[in-house]
Amino acid sequence: MREVVMNDKTNLLQLEEHFYQLADVTEPNTFRNLFPYTEIPKIAFNDRIVPHNMPEEIWITDTTFRDGQQSRAPYTTEQIVTIYDYLHKLGGPKGKIRQSEFFLYSKKDRDAVYKCLERGYKFPEVTSWIRASKQDFQLVKDLGLRETGILVSCSDYHIFYKMKMTRREVMNLYLSVIRECLETGISPRCHLEDITRSDIYGFVIPFCLELMKLMDEYKIPIKVRVCDTMGYGVNFPGAVIPRSIPGIIYGLTTHAGVPSELIEFHGHNDFYKAVNNSTTAWLYGASGVNCALFGIGERTGNTPLEAMVFEYAQLRGTLDGMDTTVITELAEYYEKELNYHIPDRTPFVGKNFNVTRAGIHADGLLKNEEIYNIFDTEKFLNRPALVSVSNTSGLAGIAHWINSYYRLSKDRWVDKNSELVKMIKEWVDKQYEEGRVTVLTDNELVVEITDCCKKLGIVL
């Protein structure tokens, strides 16, 4: 019988009357009513609403060097260390980017871990992802890491079809492996793979209850990572589990007794919901959200880390010391050093994310940039708002484009009466007199401006 306890958030006594035991079914429950496979997955509702439960402290964790490396050419050791330095700077003095996880399989991976550890940063803490074996646990310990991730697939798709086991068999296997990890003094982080197709109350909750018992026994934290592996999660109030992110987080905190600080959400973007689901996980009780830079990850990618930085600021009303200008530095590093092209319209980092192209919008932006810019992008991202150049831009619009694109200091600004601007205006007018209907691209303008500067003997 469970005792009556005080809820610290509501200050009310509560009694959980239900006991969730493992449902050791003989046939897999694949939720064919929700996931028919030959049809588009269905989002169903039962209008069971769970309360918001935002933790006192929330943070970001990083999987750029783990999940992020599963969908691109491996980073070199030097590239990993450089990106790790950027993440440290981005997270700020309060360490809002709490951890960064690494593979340990190859010498290159381990070299990167050693070099990052040598930096001596408190945040992001270096953590790992390993196979569930004694040999790998010992490797984590030898490296001096405090925590490691362990894969614990939890849907019947994985349990029955991939692992060819029953729920009871797989739970016993997982618990024995986690116990071995705890015996070495390492804190396990259990990656609940494919949770949004799993039996939440028939397997996930009973399994997590057993994890909490192990944590009490060994006095070592056991984290639970909620892995929306296929991106099926939804954030809509009243949606049914297992697709409901609010329902899953509520179940873990309320029915399994997992503390918020030991829950983190790991999303995928198959249905364009990775960011919304990550934010929802925060709102309903998960302290951590796991992300990758620019969303680079398996299939459609993970939750973009830079997106959650700005989600954090919107929810908390502060950046808590995070240096968002580093996001632009990282984007430039990926473009120039890693030859990775970030799509031009990607929020916050794409080449055109704050470029106004519509003529009437450009006019408004020139009068007051707040009209068509999401926030002071120059202050937070070192990215001034730009306007495109077309037949409606005029001399002032062209001058604004040059000053902004080349980031000229005020003492070097060109004005609409300069010879350079007049020459560009003549060239622009000619383009449209000859029948052009689209705006001019940045590359076209740069080529023409470079040519005009040579003729005028000036340097921007």
Side-chain angles (χ1 to χ4, degrees):
M1 180 178 295
R2 298 182 68 177
E3 62 180 330
V4 176
V5 296
M6 177 66 72
N7 185 311
D8 292 334
K9 286 186 175 289
T10 65
N11 293 315
L12 296 172
L13 292 174
Q14 66 179 31
L15 172 66
E16 178 50 58
E17 297 178 346
H18 300 287
F19 291 87
Y20 296 99
Q21 297 179 328
L22 176 70
D24 194 22
V25 297
T26 57
E27 295 294 328
N29 181 0
T30 55
F31 297 94
R32 284 296 181 211
N33 53 346
L34 297 177
F35 308 108
Y37 197 65
T38 55
E39 301 174 29
I40 304 302
K42 295 175 172 58
I43 302 172
F45 294 80
N46 59 12
D47 285 330
R48 294 177 184 170
I49 308 298
V50 297
H52 286 135
N53 187 28
M54 173 78 85
E56 184 175 349
E57 189 176 1
I58 59 175
W59 54 76
I60 295 166
T61 63
D62 171 65
T63 189
T64 296
F65 310 127
R66 203 272 300 175
D67 209 340
Q69 279 204 110
Q70 295 181 161
S71 61
R72 51 154 285 128
Y75 298 105
T76 66
T77 298
E78 291 72 23
Q79 289 167 348
I80 288 175
V81 175
T82 298
I83 295 168
Y84 180 72
D85 285 339
Y86 277 126
L87 290 171
H88 169 71
K89 184 179 177 185
L90 173 57
K94 295 183 179 180
K96 301 315 294 185
I97 300 177
R98 185 65 59 91
Q99 292 180 315
S100 189
E101 62 180 311
F102 292 71
F103 281 130
L104 300 180
Y105 299 143
S106 71
K107 182 179 182 301
K108 182 210 70 168
D109 293 324
R110 293 190 293 273
D111 285 345
V113 168
Y114 281 123
K115 289 185 178 297
C116 290
L117 288 172
E118 286 173 358
R119 289 295 201 260
Y121 301 147
K122 183 177 180 181
F123 300 114
E125 177 189 2
V126 174
T127 183
S128 62
W129 189 95
I130 60 169
R131 295 161 295 206
S133 70
K134 285 185 178 180
Q135 183 179 357
D136 282 9
F137 293 145
Q138 191 59 45
L139 178 61
V140 174
K141 190 171 184 177
D142 292 344
L143 283 165
L145 303 184
R146 183 184 62 86
E147 176 187 304
T148 189
I150 303 172
L151 185 64
V152 287
S153 306
C154 60
S155 76
D156 284 353
Y157 288 87
H158 289 257
I159 295 169
F160 282 81
Y161 297 151
K162 185 176 75 173
M163 302 180 74
K164 306 295 184 183
M165 301 175 77
T166 67
R167 291 181 182 178
R168 174 72 64 186
E169 290 170 339
V170 86
M171 179 184 283
N172 289 338
L173 171 65
Y174 292 160
L175 293 174
S176 68
V177 167
I178 292 163
R179 187 179 286 274
E180 288 179 2
C181 181
L182 292 166
E183 289 286 348
T184 65
I186 302 298
S187 178
R189 185 181 62 250
C190 299
H191 291 210
L192 293 168
E193 183 183 21
D194 203 24
I195 197 170
T196 45
R197 286 193 297 182
S198 67
D199 187 337
I200 302 300
Y201 290 102
F203 182 79
V204 173
I205 299 298
F207 174 58
C208 289
L209 283 166
E210 294 301 317
L211 292 180
M212 295 300 98
K213 291 178 185 176
L214 283 176
M215 186 167 72
D216 288 341
E217 179 182 345
Y218 283 89
K219 308 304 179 186
I220 295 175
I222 298 177
K223 283 186 182 175
V224 172
R225 178 176 288 183
V226 177
C227 299
D228 184 16
T229 307
M230 303 300 292
Y232 286 126
V234 297
N235 67 327
F236 311 130
V240 300
I241 56 171
R243 298 194 69 176
S244 169
I245 300 303
I248 290 172
I249 303 300
Y250 178 82
L252 290 174
T253 56
T254 303
H255 301 310
V258 184
S260 289
E261 62 269 21
L262 296 180
I263 302 175
E264 66 178 20
F265 177 80
H266 172 93
H268 282 262
N269 205 36
D270 298 74
F271 290 89
Y272 283 105
K273 289 181 167 63
V275 171
N276 280 343
N277 285 336
S278 297
T279 305
T280 298
W282 269 340
L283 288 171
Y284 285 88
S287 284
V289 294
N290 187 240
C291 313
L293 283 170
F294 314 125
I296 300 171
E298 180 80 358
R299 298 186 317 280
T300 58
N302 300 116
T303 305
L305 186 146
E306 66 280 4
M308 298 314 296
V309 168
F310 287 103
E311 289 288 279
Y312 181 100
Q314 292 181 87
L315 288 171
R316 293 305 218 201
T318 174
L319 283 164
D320 270 331
M322 286 186 282
D323 183 355
T324 51
T325 62
V326 177
I327 293 171
T328 301
E329 295 174 22
L330 274 162
E332 291 172 349
Y333 179 78
Y334 269 68
E335 292 268 8
K336 295 175 182 176
E337 300 298 328
L338 305 182
N339 295 316
Y340 177 80
H341 175 65
I342 298 173
D344 290 351
R345 290 172 181 79
T346 304
F348 310 124
V349 290
K351 185 178 180 181
N352 291 326
F353 96 90
N354 65 341
V355 176
T356 296
R357 295 196 177 277
I360 190 169
H361 289 191
D363 179 66
L365 188 70
L366 289 169
K367 292 174 179 174
N368 188 323
E369 72 173 45
E370 291 185 44
I371 298 174
Y372 287 113
N373 203 24
I374 56 173
F375 50 70
D376 188 342
T377 55
E378 184 166 19
K379 173 183 177 180
F380 291 108
L381 292 166
N382 282 333
R383 293 279 300 274
L386 296 175
V387 297
S388 61
V389 174
S390 68
N391 58 327
T392 62
S393 299
L395 291 166
I398 293 170
H400 183 277
W401 189 94
I402 293 172
N403 293 330
S404 298
Y405 184 87
Y406 289 94
R407 300 189 184 185
L408 300 179
S409 58
K410 286 191 176 183
D411 61 317
R412 297 181 59 230
W413 273 5
V414 297
D415 63 36
K416 65 180 183 180
N417 297 314
S418 72
E419 287 301 313
L420 174 61
V421 172
K422 290 178 181 177
M423 287 179 69
I424 299 300
K425 176 69 163 58
E426 290 177 7
W427 173 76
V428 170
D429 289 343
K430 184 177 180 182
Q431 297 289 312
Y432 290 95
E433 288 168 4
E434 294 175 352
R436 183 176 184 131
V437 294
T438 59
V439 297
L440 290 152
T441 67
D442 292 348
N443 287 339
E444 288 176 298
L445 285 163
V446 168
V447 169
E448 186 62 26
I449 289 168
T450 300
D451 185 55
C452 290
C453 285
K454 288 181 180 177
K455 291 176 182 177
L456 294 170
I458 61 176
V459 177
L460 289 179

